[in-house]
Amino acid sequence: MSYFTTDLERLSFQSIRHQLIIVDRNWRIRSCNTAWQNGLGQLYSEQNRSDIHRLPSDYLHLLQTWAAYEERTRIEAVIQHFEKTQHPFAHCHTYDISLQFANLDIRWFRLELTPLPQSDPSLPVELALIAHTDITEQKQIEQQLKQALSEVRTLRGLLPICAVCKQIKDEQGVWNSVESYLEKHTHAEFTHDICPDCIRRLYPKYSNILDKRS
């Protein structure tokens, strides 16, 4: 392999806040930056009781081990795709995956694989950079929004309403009061009051009081 790196490039690799690793075509981790050592690398060392500077040999196996239960099938499909692809580093890839750790904490990461071309463009790409970005907070907000949207119900179209008693006919042909219909089809709740016009009609002796207020 023919790769040239400058001091500035090495400094950038180590200083960037994203957790970075470099893997070869056999998915062995060849290098990692400080952020990865202090993040996923630290977790790997604690789980395997190994030296933090000792890198795991198989990155895909590591992902499979960390995969959250509900995500395991999807992650295994991604891993199988990489294993069967003859040139896995021919293109960039981006995946959002959830990882479950020993303390049962689930964190979401966005994995971005970027091929690292050799100094001679005619040679096949042998290494790839994989960036790990923690997007747990973003995913939690997305789930909260989906939950909120699932609870929102709206009314559309024409509603058959009685011209006399103002009851509304539902989808089953049953007539409902306005309150009952809206409570079934929305999240609205009702509290009852009485308007000034009805007070004047039903309780005319109080009309003078209303007139004075107005």
Side-chain angles (χ1 to χ4, degrees):
M1 291 182 288
S2 178
Y3 289 89
F4 297 103
T5 58
T6 65
D7 291 339
L8 179 60
E9 288 171 335
R10 284 191 289 269
L11 179 63
S12 299
F13 177 74
Q14 290 298 334
S15 301
I16 195 167
R17 64 182 179 85
H18 297 296
Q19 300 185 48
L20 305 178
I21 62 172
I22 295 176
V23 298
D24 62 21
R25 291 173 59 86
N26 295 316
W27 299 100
R28 290 191 299 265
I29 299 178
R30 304 293 294 272
S31 181
C32 67
N33 70 346
T34 303
W36 197 88
Q37 281 186 347
N38 295 333
L40 294 173
Q42 178 71 39
L43 178 67
Y44 169 80
S45 300
E46 291 174 355
Q47 289 181 344
N48 295 273
R49 299 179 180 178
S50 63
D51 181 5
I52 188 173
H53 298 290
R54 181 181 178 185
L55 297 174
S57 59
D58 189 336
Y59 175 69
L60 296 185
H61 176 71
L62 189 63
L63 286 185
Q64 196 172 30
T65 302
W66 283 344
Y69 179 77
E70 60 272 16
E71 285 283 301
R72 193 154 295 164
T73 301
R74 189 172 69 86
I75 292 179
E76 286 178 353
V78 172
I79 292 173
Q80 290 175 5
H81 168 74
F82 280 135
E83 289 176 338
K84 293 178 180 179
T85 302
Q86 186 175 2
H87 302 289
F89 299 162
H91 306 284
C92 295
H93 302 274
T94 301
Y95 296 98
D96 291 351
I97 64 172
S98 61
L99 305 180
Q100 185 169 16
F101 304 132
N103 61 358
L104 301 182
D105 183 29
I106 294 180
R107 308 291 298 177
W108 278 89
F109 287 88
R110 175 160 294 151
L111 309 185
E112 297 173 282
L113 184 150
T114 304
L116 298 176
Q118 299 195 52
S119 55
D120 183 352
S122 65
L123 297 175
V125 177
E126 298 288 342
L127 299 177
L129 176 74
I130 303 180
H132 306 73
T133 306
D134 192 329
I135 57 170
T136 304
E137 184 176 349
Q138 174 186 331
K139 284 294 183 179
Q140 290 172 343
I141 294 174
E142 288 178 4
Q143 291 172 356
Q144 291 171 1
L145 289 174
K146 288 179 181 178
Q147 179 66 23
L149 289 173
S150 69
E151 295 176 355
V152 172
R153 291 180 288 181
T154 58
L155 295 174
R156 293 186 177 89
L158 299 175
L159 298 179
I161 186 170
C162 176
V164 180
C165 69
K166 306 304 180 184
Q167 290 196 95
I168 300 174
K169 185 166 66 174
D170 63 19
E171 298 83 354
Q172 286 74 40
V174 178
W175 290 93
N176 301 264
S177 67
V178 173
E179 296 98 322
S180 175
Y181 186 86
L182 291 179
E183 285 178 348
K184 288 180 181 177
H185 291 78
T186 70
H187 291 285
E189 296 181 356
F190 290 88
T191 177
H192 288 86
D193 203 344
I194 186 168
C195 70
D197 289 341
C198 288
I199 290 177
R200 291 188 177 92
R201 179 168 56 86
L202 297 173
Y203 310 102
K205 65 180 180 179
Y206 296 111
S207 296
N208 292 333
I209 299 176
L210 293 174
D211 294 337
K212 289 179 181 178
R213 288 182 178 178
S214 61

